[in-house]
Amino acid sequence: MIRIAFVGAGSVVFTRQLLHDILSYPELSGAAIALHDIDPERLQVAAALADHAVRTTGAEVTVTATTDRRAALAGADAVVNMIAVGGHRATVTDFEIPAAAGLRQTIGDTLGVGGIFRALRTFPVLKSLAEDMAEVCPQAWLLNYTNPMAMNIQYLTAIAPKLKVAGLCHSVYWTVRGLCDIIGVPHDEVDVLSAGVNHQAWILRWQHRGRDLYPDLDAAIAADADLARRVRVDMYRRLGYYPTETSEHSSEYVPWYLGHTSEIARLRIPVGDYIGISAENLAEYKELRKVVADGGDPVGGWESDAAEYAPQVIHSLVTGTPRTIQVTTPNTGLISNLPEGAAVEVPATLDRLGVHPHHVGALPPQLAAPNRHFLNVVDLVVAAALEGDPRHIRHAAMADPATAATLTVEEIWSLCDAMVEAHGDALPEPLRRAPVVAGGAR
C-alpha cells in the first residue's frame, strides 16, 4: 500500500487537517504514514494528533514519527512538504526590519522582501530534501505546500529536474467558494478556469450551467459599497478578471496600494497582518502541546470541507480516480505569454500516473503583465541561490513592485544588508557576503 511522508509535520495544525482528509478515504486503508520534523517536541505533538485521529476514525493505517528525515522518506510514494524554516521568530524579522526602513507588508511570505528572504533560507533545506529523495524514494511525488510557492518550485526544478514535484495551494478553491457565496450560487455546480502564478492567478472563466457569473458579481459589487473596499475587487474592476488570493496577499504583489496611506484606508488593508496570524498559530500549537502533555485528547481542529489537495493527489495515485485541481509547475508552454520554465499555476488532472498540467494558452495581456513583474522577482531570487551572487538579492528587491514603489535603490540595498545580517547562518554562505558595487557590478 502507499507510503506517505510528512516533512515539517511539526506544523501540527496543518498536519491535523491533512491527516483527517487522508483518513477519510477508505481506499487508503493500509497506508503507512511517516511523520518527520527536526523539533522533537513538535514531532511528539504531531504524533499524538495522528494517534488520536487513527483511534477516533478507526482507520487501518500505520503511523510512525522520526527526526531522521531519510528514514521517513525511505520508500515513500508521496512526500508532503510543510517546512517553515526559522518559524515565528524569522517571520517577525521579515516584518520588523522592513517596517523600520519604511516598507509596509501584509503577509510577507510570497514576494517582496519577506518572500525573498523566506525563500533564501528555505532553499538549502529543499536542496537537501531533493537529494535525499533522489537516493531513497526517487519515484515519489513531492507535494509542496511551503511558501514562497513559485520561488520554491522554480528552484527545485532547476536543481533537481528529474524530481516529480507539484506545488499545492487552496487559494483558488477558497476564492471560488467566496465568490459563489457572494452571489448565492452553489459552489459544487460551477465550472472554473484559473491560471497565472501562485497567489496571483486569475479566474478566467466562472460559469453556472454555461452561464457567465461575472455579471452577477458586478451587480453584487454595485449594490454593496463595502464589497468594493477590497483590494482584489478593486483589481477586478480595473483588470476585468478576479485575482485568486486574498486582498492582504494581493496588495503586496503590485505597486498600486501599500505605498499610499490613502489607499490603505480606502481598501482597509491590514498592514503587518501575518505577524498576528503567525502568533495565533504558535498559540494554537502551545495549547495543543499542553493538552498532549496533560494526557488529554486533541479533539477537533479540522474543517470537513477544507478540500486540501495533497490527500486528493494521494487518493488518485492509489485509485486512479480522475479529478482536476490547481498546481504550480514549470511552464512548458502551458501559459504561452509567460516565460518558459517559470513556475506557473494551472489546472491539472490527477490519476494513477500522477499530475498532468493543462495547456491554457495566452493570458489577457493586462493579466500577463503583473504576472511577469511577479516572475521577475522569482527569477532573480532563484538566480541568487544558483549563482551564489548576493547582488541578485538586491536586484530581486529592486524588481519587486511594492518595494520599488516605496523605497529608493539605496534604501533597498541597505534594507537587504540588514536582512542578510539578521538572518545570518540561515542563508547560504555566498549570499552572506557583501556585494561588489564599485567598478564590479555588471
Side-chain angles (χ1 to χ4, degrees):
M1 195 52 183
I2 194 165
R3 181 173 174 83
I4 308 160
F6 282 17
V7 178
S11 301
V12 293
V13 177
F14 200 34
T15 294
R16 176 168 54 181
Q17 181 66 55
L18 293 176
L19 283 169
H20 174 266
D21 289 359
I22 288 171
L23 297 179
S24 70
Y25 289 118
E27 297 89 348
L28 297 183
S29 178
I33 300 173
L35 307 178
H36 164 73
D37 202 276
I38 61 172
D39 184 331
E41 182 184 82
R42 280 185 169 269
L43 184 62
Q44 181 184 17
V45 176
L49 291 175
D51 177 69
H52 179 264
V54 171
R55 284 189 287 108
T56 55
T57 61
E60 296 182 2
V61 302
T62 302
V63 180
T64 58
T66 177
T67 55
D68 184 336
R69 188 175 64 201
R70 287 174 67 91
L73 294 173
D77 301 290
V79 177
V80 182
N81 179 43
M82 304 171 286
I83 61 171
V85 179
H88 177 69
R89 180 177 299 177
T91 295
V92 171
T93 297
D94 287 344
F95 276 86
E96 288 186 344
I97 293 178
L103 182 65
R104 296 166 173 145
Q105 299 179 104
T106 52
I107 304 297
D109 72 346
T110 296
L111 217 63
V113 171
I116 290 168
F117 281 88
R118 180 180 286 253
L120 292 174
R121 64 178 183 266
T122 301
F123 286 171
V125 183
L126 293 180
K127 186 174 187 292
S128 61
L129 173 61
E131 290 170 347
D132 282 351
M133 288 182 64
E135 293 185 20
V136 302
C137 57
Q139 298 305 312
W141 276 93
L142 176 58
L143 308 177
N144 180 72
Y145 278 101
T146 296
N147 285 320
M149 182 67 73
M151 295 184 193
N152 289 340
I153 298 300
Q154 193 159 318
Y155 175 74
L156 279 167
T157 56
I159 63 160
K162 294 182 179 179
L163 182 70
K164 296 190 292 187
V165 59
L168 306 181
C169 176
H170 50 211
S171 62
V172 173
Y173 172 84
W174 285 114
T175 292
V176 176
R177 282 287 297 266
L179 289 174
C180 289
D181 288 344
I182 289 172
I183 65 170
V185 171
H187 171 259
D188 58 2
E189 295 181 8
V190 304
D191 298 303
V192 173
L193 173 63
S194 172
V197 295
N198 179 243
H199 287 180
Q200 196 190 61
W202 317 93
I203 303 298
L204 302 175
R205 290 204 298 270
W206 176 40
Q207 299 177 345
H208 181 242
R209 298 174 182 171
R211 182 175 66 87
D212 180 16
L213 293 174
Y214 269 132
D216 291 10
L217 179 62
D218 295 340
I221 294 170
D224 185 347
D226 275 348
L227 193 56
R229 295 184 63 199
R230 298 182 184 179
V231 167
R232 57 179 174 171
V233 171
D234 193 73
M235 290 175 66
Y236 160 63
R237 295 174 71 187
R238 299 173 194 280
L239 299 176
Y241 296 87
Y242 205 79
T244 60
E245 214 4 301
T246 64
S247 290
E248 292 87 342
H249 275 280
S250 296
S251 67
E252 291 189 309
Y253 313 145
V254 294
W256 310 321
Y257 300 113
L258 284 173
H260 306 282
T261 302
S262 59
E263 290 294 84
I264 291 171
R266 178 175 75 91
L267 298 170
R268 302 172 294 180
I269 302 173
V271 175
D273 195 38
Y274 193 67
I275 292 182
I277 295 171
S278 181
E280 289 171 6
N281 291 340
L282 184 60
E284 187 170 358
Y285 161 71
K286 289 180 177 178
E287 179 60 30
L288 283 170
R289 182 184 63 187
K290 183 177 185 303
V291 170
V292 170
D294 292 344
D297 277 334
V299 298
W302 57 74
E303 300 175 74
S304 59
D305 61 349
E308 288 296 344
Y309 286 149
Q312 296 180 51
V313 175
I314 293 165
H315 183 261
S316 290
L317 288 173
V318 171
T319 66
T321 302
R323 43 169 62 94
T324 300
I325 65 168
Q326 294 292 125
V327 302
T328 295
T329 189
N331 188 25
T332 54
L334 303 172
I335 301 179
S336 57
N337 54 349
L338 293 184
E340 188 78 8
V344 296
E345 186 178 86
V346 295
T349 299
L350 308 179
D351 59 22
R352 193 174 280 108
L353 297 178
V355 181
H356 313 284
H358 296 185
H359 173 79
V360 175
L363 297 176
Q366 73 274 24
L367 307 183
N371 280 174
R372 285 194 291 264
H373 286 303
F374 187 115
L375 290 171
N376 287 340
V377 184
V378 173
D379 281 343
L380 286 162
V381 175
V382 172
L386 295 179
E387 299 174 20
D389 189 339
R391 291 172 301 179
H392 287 331
I393 301 175
R394 283 80 179 167
H395 299 155
M398 290 168 64
D400 179 69
T403 304
T406 304
L407 302 180
T408 67
V409 289
E410 186 61 36
E411 289 169 338
I412 290 170
W413 280 59
S414 295
L415 172 55
C416 289
D417 293 344
M419 291 291 286
V420 168
E421 182 177 358
H423 285 298
D425 292 345
L427 306 179
E429 191 278 331
L431 299 183
R432 301 198 297 266
R433 300 171 186 168
V436 176
V437 288
R442 60 182 183 275

